[in-house]
Amino acid sequence: MRSVTQLELHLLPALFSSRGVLGAIILIQLLNFILAFSPLNEAEPWIALGTVTLFSQCVLLISLTLLYFSQRFVMRFGLILQCVAITISVIFTTLSFSLGLVTFEPSLVTQDSSTFVLSAVFVSMLVVVLMLFVLSFYAENIHKVELLAEAKLQALQARMHPHFLFNSLNAAAELTHINAQAAENMLLDLAKLSRNALMERSHTTLEEEIEVAHAFVNIEKWRIGERLQVNWDIDTKTNSVVVPCLILQPLIENAIKHGIQTSCAGGFVDVVVTSSNTLVTISVSNPSAKQPTSQKGSGIALDNLRARLALFYNMKASLQIHESDSIFRVELTIPRDSRQ
């Protein structure tokens, strides 16, 4: 996993988010209204608005296209080069459109050719300055959310050690006198969990995430006994799907804590993974305890997971809670392709 100090502020990912593109369109259109209805405009306002809107939105579309296909190269460099790339893209497109319009459709130009070209370039520079100003605030906000999500993941990984490490070691020590092979298996599962927690990465495959969850369940079974039963229904076609680290194990931990440990009779935890062409659904169900506050305390973990999903999948994932008198179910729906 990246250190929080290694994260960089990128303007282009912020620009190509849904809010970034919409903000650019709205900003340019507001400026179009100001230009069309300005006292300096001698043409009919609504005709001028249509003309300048067509011109500016075409410039924006082509500029965004150029930036989109060059963003991987540009993002290798610093923030200043990203600003330069955005500026050059918009100015170059504006200049090309202006010269083309003056050359091939001079009847549409009501001003002197040189005045029209210089005016278009000046307005484009003004738009770029405003857009970079707004975009920098938006990108900084995304950066802060990313830092927070990384910090939460680090805290979640660190929490695994004191959370049940000592209990697991004590259980393993007791097992050595009863069943040496079981104690060895338990320590191997504990080693797998610890290794996963110490890995410096923010994402993994769903197959690896399920393996970690299996290791956690095996340890809990030795600790809780026959009261804990887990049913696994996994669509193996989802094994290679890329997911954020620690999205399944915390859900199972909550299910065991609030649905099994609070019940003398125990019960079943159902883990179901299904998929369609574009989506993967992960569902974890457990018995609801009799007390009204049965799931109190799980909200922080679920809010943490919801925030990490929103960041990783750019708001295209969802976390839903379904609760009845007998069943508490958490359902994650994520894109099959994390790049979508």
Side-chain angles (χ1 to χ4, degrees):
M1 185 178 58
R2 296 168 296 174
S3 168
V4 294
T5 59
Q6 294 175 319
L7 295 170
E8 297 179 358
L9 180 62
H10 292 307
L11 290 180
L12 292 182
L15 175 61
F16 289 114
S17 67
S18 56
R19 293 182 180 180
V21 173
L22 180 61
I25 293 173
I26 292 175
L27 177 64
I28 290 178
Q29 198 56 35
L30 286 174
L31 190 57
N32 290 339
F33 271 99
I34 294 174
L35 292 174
F37 290 92
S38 169
L40 300 177
N41 176 36
E42 298 177 357
E44 203 282 325
W46 290 107
I47 295 178
L49 178 62
T51 304
V52 74
T53 296
L54 179 62
F55 180 87
S56 61
Q57 296 298 347
C58 286
V59 169
L60 175 64
L61 177 62
I62 295 177
S63 299
L64 289 178
T65 303
L66 292 174
L67 289 169
Y68 181 79
F69 286 107
S70 63
Q71 66 173 324
R72 289 193 177 182
F73 172 76
V74 174
M75 284 174 57
R76 296 176 185 175
F77 304 95
L79 189 62
I80 295 179
L81 185 58
Q82 294 179 51
C83 295
V84 171
I86 294 174
T87 304
I88 291 176
S89 175
V90 175
I91 299 301
F92 172 77
T93 307
T94 302
L95 189 59
S96 301
F97 255 70
S98 301
L99 292 175
L101 197 61
V102 168
T103 303
F104 299 105
E105 292 292 342
S107 59
L108 297 177
V109 180
T110 58
Q111 299 171 299
D112 177 69
S113 297
S114 58
T115 303
F116 172 76
V117 173
L118 291 175
S119 299
V121 172
F122 174 77
V123 172
S124 295
M125 291 180 64
L126 178 61
V127 170
V128 168
V129 171
L130 291 174
M131 187 166 63
L132 289 176
F133 182 74
V134 174
L135 199 59
S136 63
F137 281 100
Y138 181 50
E140 184 178 1
N141 184 60
I142 293 177
H143 182 57
K144 289 179 179 179
V145 173
E146 190 174 15
L147 289 175
L148 179 61
E150 291 284 350
K152 284 183 176 181
L153 179 58
Q154 289 178 349
L156 184 62
Q157 290 176 323
R159 193 189 68 177
M160 290 183 61
H161 296 281
H163 188 65
F164 67 78
L165 176 60
F166 297 115
N167 288 338
S168 300
L169 290 174
N170 286 334
E174 294 176 5
L175 275 176
T176 56
H177 303 291
I178 304 172
N179 188 334
Q181 184 61 47
E184 180 182 352
N185 292 338
M186 186 175 184
L187 290 174
L188 290 175
D189 287 327
L190 186 60
K192 182 181 294 185
L193 278 176
S194 299
R195 183 173 62 252
N196 181 76
L198 292 174
M199 283 185 178
E200 294 187 351
R201 59 180 183 177
S202 60
H203 60 274
T204 184
T205 63
L206 187 55
E207 182 179 22
E208 292 177 340
E209 186 72 7
I210 291 171
E211 289 178 359
V212 171
H214 269 291
F216 175 79
V217 168
N218 290 339
I219 293 174
E220 291 292 76
K221 278 186 175 181
W222 284 112
R223 193 171 63 85
I224 298 175
E226 295 183 355
R227 290 192 300 131
L228 172 61
Q229 301 294 326
V230 180
N231 294 325
W232 302 87
D233 184 5
I234 310 297
D235 183 354
T236 56
K237 292 183 293 185
T238 64
N239 285 347
S240 60
V241 173
V242 177
V243 298
C245 288
L246 292 175
I247 65 168
L248 182 56
Q249 183 268 332
L251 295 181
I252 296 176
E253 181 180 0
N254 270 339
I256 294 173
K257 178 180 178 181
H258 299 287
I260 306 302
Q261 289 183 344
T262 57
S263 171
C264 295
F268 286 86
V269 173
D270 296 316
V271 182
V272 180
V273 178
T274 59
S275 67
S276 64
N277 291 334
T278 58
L279 297 174
V280 174
T281 301
I282 303 172
S283 172
V284 178
S285 307
N286 61 268
S288 285
K290 301 297 183 182
Q291 295 85 352
T293 58
S294 60
Q295 298 294 119
K296 185 176 180 180
S298 65
I300 296 176
L302 295 181
D303 288 342
N304 182 348
L305 179 56
R306 186 179 283 111
R308 292 197 293 120
L309 288 173
L311 179 65
F312 189 83
Y313 293 106
N314 195 22
M315 306 299 291
K316 295 178 181 178
S318 66
L319 186 154
Q320 296 181 326
I321 298 174
H322 307 275
E323 187 170 13
S324 65
D325 293 338
S326 58
I327 296 295
F328 183 92
R329 185 173 82 254
V330 179
E331 186 174 281
L332 307 181
T333 303
I334 61 176
R336 194 181 183 96
D337 185 352
S338 61
R339 297 170 297 179
Q340 292 179 347

